[in-house]
Amino acid sequence: MTQIVLTVPNGEVSFLSTLAEKMGWSFQTSENLVEKFIASCPTDVSISDEEIQAEVNAVRYGR
């Protein structure tokens, strides 16, 4: 299967989702993909906020 990305006007999303459903294709919006990604992220992170900030600073400022 080949995946493609289309940028379409908001008014055409309903038409394309109906077409995709009738053709047996899968259809996802970028919002759906972001929601799936967020849902898949762990909620119990084993490092503290201070450790996270230290890593961010190390990347941001090369420290």
Side-chain angles (χ1 to χ4, degrees), residues 10-39:
N10 287 335
E12 302 297 329
V13 172
S14 177
F15 167 73
L16 285 175
S17 66
T18 303
L19 175 63
E21 184 179 317
K22 288 185 178 187
M23 296 297 292
W25 302 336
S26 62
F27 180 84
Q28 296 180 338
T29 64
S30 57
E31 289 85 7
N32 291 346
L33 295 174
V34 170
E35 288 171 4
K36 284 183 182 179
F37 174 76
I38 291 171

Side-chain angles (χ1 to χ4, degrees), residues 7 13 15 18 20-21 25 31-32 35-37 40-41 43 45-47 51-54 56:
T7 303
V13 172
F15 167 73
T18 303
E21 184 179 317
W25 302 336
E31 289 85 7
N32 291 346
E35 288 171 4
K36 284 183 182 179
F37 174 76
S40 71
C41 292
T43 56
V45 180
S46 62
I47 61 176
E51 291 170 316
I52 293 171
Q53 189 60 51
V56 169

